[in-house]
Amino acid sequence: MNKLKNFVRNAFQVAPFILSNTIIFVPYFLFLTLNDGKTLEKILPFVFFYTFRMTGIFLLKSFKLTLTSFNILIISILIGVVGCLIGVMGHFYFPAYLLSSVLLGLSAAWLPAANTTVNYHEKQQGYSVLTGKKYLFILLILAGVIASLAIRSDWRIPIVLGEYTLLYIAAYHTVTHYPDYEIDFNEVDQQVVSVKEFILFLIFFTLLLFIRSARLLFDPQLLDIAIIGFSGLFLIAAWYLNQQRKTWKLPLWLNVLTFANGMCINFLLLFGTFYISLRLGTDRLAANLYAPYILGIIFAGFFIKFLYRLFPKVDPKVVHISSFIVSLFLLLFPRLFPVGIFLLSCCISATGSFLNRNYYQNEILPQDQRIITKYSTQTKGSVTHQLLLMSGLWILSKEANLPVQTILQIKGSRSSNPAVLHVIEQAHVISIFVLIIAFSFILYEVIKYNATIGKQ
C-alpha cells in the first residue's frame, strides 16, 4: 500500500512540470485536427486556442492586480481543468470546443510563467519541486499522452483531454500542498487596466486572428489585412524600441536572447509542423517532430550540463548561443532534421531555464513580475516569427507567380507540386539563416557586454 501511495504521490508531483511543457502544443495539435478548411465553426477552436495562448500573457500584464504568482498558477489550473472538461463534452456538442479552446489558451499562456516563479520561490525556501528520481514518472506519463495522440479515432480528443483533466487535478493537489504557500485572494488590488499592455494584447490578438483564420479558411484577403497590419506595427515597434532602448532596465543581450528563444519556439512548433507535413505527410509528425521535441525537453538538463563540462572556461551565455547556431545549421539538412529538432528543443528548454534564473535573480523588477516579463518578451518573439513567416510565404508565392491561395491551401498533406515545394524550401532556408544571423548578433552583444563588465 505504501508503495502505491508513493507511486501516486510522485505521479502527482510531476504534473505541473508536464503541463508547463506540453500544454502549449497538445491542444494545438488536437484542435487543428478539427479543421475541415471550409466552415468557420470548425476552425475557430484552433484559432481561439492559438491566439489566446500567444497573447494571453499580455492580457495578464494588462491587469494591475496584485495577484501573486501562486494565485495566478491556481487560476490557470482551475480554468485549465474546466476547459478540459468542457472539451470532452465537445465530442457530443461541438460548440463546447469553442469555450474549451479559450480557457485552455489562457491556461497555456499563464501556467508556465506562474509555475516557474513558484518553483523558484519554493527552491529558495529549501523545497525541491522536481528531483532526478521523478524523471521516470515524467517519461511514463508522456509516453501515455503520445500513445493517445497517435489514436486514429474520433475519440482521440476526449481521451487526451480526459488525461489532461487528471493532470490538472493532480497539479492542483500538488501545488496546494506546497509548504510556503496558501490561497488568498482577499488582498487583491483591483486597479484599472494598463492601457499599453491591453492595446498590445488587442493588436496581436487581432492580427493573429486574421492570419490564422486566413490560413485555415484559404482567404487571401484576410491574410493581406494581417500582413499590412503587421508591416505597420513592425515599423512603429522599430521606431519605439530605438527611442526606448537607452531606458531599458535589463541588458540588451538578455532581452534579445529571450526574444530569439521565442522565435525558435514558434519556428519549431509552427513551421516544423508545416514543413514535415508537406514534405513527409502528417503521419510522420510524431516520429520527426513531436517525439524529438519532447525528448529534447526531457534531456535538456543533461545536454546543457554536458556542454558546460565540455567547455568549462567558456561563458555560459556563449555556450547557449553557439548551441543554437549549431542546431539550426543541422536543420538545413533534411536527413538530419529530427536530430536538429531534438537539439533545438534541448537548446530552447535549457536556455529557457537559464533565462528564468537570470530574470528571477534580477532585483530591478518586482519579484512576481520577473518571470512574467521574461515570458512576455519570449511571446513577442513567437508572435513576430509567426507574422514574419506568413509575410515571407506571401512574398515568395508572389515572386513564384503562385496564387496566395496555393500556399494557404497547404493543409498538412504531402505535396507533389514542385513550385510549392520550392517555395517552402526557400522559406525553410531563409528562416534558418535569419535565426542564425540573429544569434550571431546576440553573440556579438554578449562579447561586447562582457568586455564592458571586465573593464569596470
Side-chain angles (χ1 to χ4, degrees), residues 16-43:
F17 174 85
I18 293 172
L19 286 173
S20 294
N21 287 281
T22 63
I23 195 62
I24 66 171
F25 81 91
V26 169
Y28 173 99
F29 173 75
L30 292 177
F31 290 131
L32 184 60
T33 61
L34 295 172
N35 169 46
D36 62 0
K38 297 177 183 178
T39 57
L40 184 63
E41 184 186 44
K42 293 293 181 69
I43 74 157

Side-chain angles (χ1 to χ4, degrees), residues 2 104 180 188 211 239 256 262 272 275-276 285 288 294 322 384 400 452:
N2 287 332
L104 286 174
D180 298 297
V188 174
I211 208 165
W239 173 81
V256 182
Y275 181 77
I276 292 173
L285 277 172
N288 288 273
I294 291 174
S322 301
T384 300
T452 303

Side-chain angles (χ1 to χ4, degrees), residues 225-269:
I225 293 172
I227 298 300
I228 293 169
F230 166 68
S231 299
L233 179 63
F234 189 81
L235 291 173
I236 294 171
W239 173 81
Y240 179 78
L241 290 175
N242 186 57
Q243 296 294 316
Q244 297 294 316
R245 192 173 68 174
K246 293 182 180 180
T247 64
W248 284 355
K249 297 178 180 179
L250 300 173
L252 177 61
W253 72 265
L254 185 59
N255 280 306
V256 182
L257 181 57
T258 308
F259 189 88
N261 200 47
M263 293 182 74
C264 285
I265 293 172
N266 198 72
F267 171 81
L268 190 153
L269 290 177

